Amino acid sequence: MQPGTSDLEYGEPFNMAFDQIRLGIDTAVGKFNEIVDQVKEWKWLLGPAALWWIKHNLDTTRGALNAVLDQVDRALEHQLPVLSLINISFRWVNDVKRPVSDLSFVTTEPVDENLAKWTGDAASAYNAKAVKQKAAVDESVLKSEFISQWLFKIAKANVDYAVQLAKIVTGLAGKLVQAATEATTVIDLPWAISTLAKSVGDSVTDGLNTLLTIGQRFVDALGNVRDIATQVGDYSKLPGGQWPQAVRG
């Protein structure tokens, strides 16, 4: 997958996802507390069996909410580092690969066409140096592209993770809003909470499983650090890790 033309293409949806997450969590927690207050208000009309049933379902809902909150806390800790990672990935393309790749043509294209008439040992030495210079340029372009791609894969996995987490949070908030609306009478209260517990439990479980899949992509990308070491340690076109010199002495 190639990075787009700008880090804004990925930074904006990433930040938007976190805005949705924050709003959704505030709504979800607020509506859950509202439902609990409803139970407290009507508990004197509810028998022990009904209260036990309600508590059981509220505990299920609270467990699902806490599971999502744990994921949100971890994601919030990494929001700024991921934005930096996205930015750096594009800088490797825009500030390194692009200007260096411009040199590939320059290294072998003579400024003066009369240079083509140059012969002898000096000309041969010059041409040999030019070939090495071009090889070093092309190798640097490949390395910068590889590093950019590696960083981008990690950043993209984090963006996908945040977007999926936002979907889970907004879905959870929506279910809690609906339950709070339906649980306004002592008759509807137990059924609204029971329905809430089942729907929240299923949706959160499915959502977290999806997050695990996305998280595995992140782990896989990090695991490819060996490939980075291989690229950085390959000096076949950059002797001693340095640029091949056109002139020595």
Side-chain angles (χ1 to χ4, degrees), residues 126-238:
Y126 171 85
N127 290 329
K129 294 287 187 181
V131 169
K132 292 179 180 179
Q133 292 276 322
K134 185 178 188 306
V137 168
D138 293 343
E139 181 70 8
S140 297
V141 170
L142 290 175
K143 289 182 185 297
S144 61
E145 171 64 17
F146 185 90
I147 293 172
S148 173
Q149 283 289 342
W150 185 71
L151 293 172
F152 178 74
K153 287 178 183 178
I154 297 173
K156 182 64 166 56
N158 277 276
V159 172
D160 292 345
Y161 191 94
V163 170
Q164 178 61 30
L165 183 57
K167 292 179 181 178
I168 296 173
V169 170
T170 54
L172 176 61
K175 293 179 185 301
L176 282 160
V177 168
Q178 181 180 354
T181 301
E182 295 174 350
T184 54
T185 68
V186 68
I187 296 175
D188 295 328
L189 183 63
W191 311 116
I193 294 176
S194 176
T195 301
L196 171 67
K198 185 178 187 311
S199 63
V200 163
D202 292 342
S203 64
V204 168
T205 298
D206 292 342
L208 293 181
N209 286 337
T210 302
L211 286 183
L212 284 175
T213 301
I214 297 173
Q216 186 59 49
R217 284 168 40 203
F218 171 73
V219 172
D220 290 344
L222 284 178
N224 290 335
V225 68
R226 173 192 169 279
D227 297 336
I228 285 289
T230 299
Q231 284 287 327
V232 173
D234 182 4
Y235 297 153
S236 57
K237 305 293 176 58
L238 299 163

Side-chain angles (χ1 to χ4, degrees), residues 7 78-92 147-148 150-158 218 222:
D7 56 345
H78 296 92
Q79 182 180 7
L80 290 179
V82 170
L83 287 172
S84 178
L85 199 63
I86 295 172
N87 178 264
I88 292 172
S89 171
F90 280 92
R91 288 187 63 185
W92 270 98
I147 293 172
S148 173
W150 185 71
L151 293 172
F152 178 74
K153 287 178 183 178
I154 297 173
K156 182 64 166 56
N158 277 276
F218 171 73
L222 284 178

